[in-house]
Amino acid sequence: QLQLVESGGGLVQAGGSLRLSCAASGRAFETYAMGWFRQVPDKDREFVAGIMWRGGNTRYADSVKGRFTISKDNAKSAAYLQMSSLKPEDTAVYYCAAGSYSDDDDDYYYWGQGTQVTVSS
């Protein structure tokens, strides 16, 4: 069992940056790939970024490639999403998840409660 808690969301102007954190507690965090997803009202949850269990390979949605960076620190049982050059269309609730290295939310087994990111124009 793994518990995930996101933090770092907030209100930022377009062009600004935010760093989201995902703190994990429980067993075997280091064995899981981590992913970040986002969701806006009345839309499906969208894959943002993923990283392999050992923190090597990463993958990104085309919409955030070059602007967002995912990282994982197994020693601290934490994952991060550094977001730069933010756009109003990045506004969403952001979720971290633990599971298999994938862009499909069905492949993730544990989820945080989400943190709101709002980008003003």
Side-chain angles (χ1 to χ4, degrees):
Q1 194 78 355
L2 205 61
Q3 294 79 41
L4 304 175
V5 178
E6 302 95 337
S7 61
L11 174 64
V12 64
Q13 286 191 329
S17 298
L18 278 177
R19 187 193 194 209
L20 304 184
S21 298
C22 176
S25 59
R27 297 174 62 88
F29 170 81
E30 65 278 4
T31 66
Y32 292 100
M34 296 298 295
W36 286 93
F37 292 77
R38 64 188 182 188
Q39 190 170 25
V40 298
D42 299 325
K43 287 195 173 181
D44 291 337
R45 193 159 47 193
E46 174 190 25
F47 171 78
V48 175
I51 187 167
M52 286 191 72
W53 63 273
R54 60 179 180 270
N57 290 9
T58 58
R59 60 202 302 171
Y60 297 92
D62 288 343
S63 59
V64 307
K65 208 169 288 184
R67 300 189 297 122
F68 290 10
T69 302
I70 187 172
S71 59
K72 185 176 190 268
D73 188 335
N74 286 331
K76 294 183 178 180
S77 293
Y80 307 95
L81 185 68
Q82 178 67 48
M83 305 185 295
S84 303
S85 301
L86 282 161
K87 304 175 182 179
E89 51 264 43
D90 295 318
T91 295
V93 176
Y94 283 73
Y95 299 89
C96 71
S100 299
Y101 184 56
S102 170
D103 59 3
D104 186 340
D105 57 2
D106 286 339
D107 294 324
Y108 290 84
Y109 319 128
Y110 303 105
W111 292 83
Q113 83 291 347
T115 186
Q116 176 71 47
V117 171
T118 302
V119 184
S120 63
S121 57

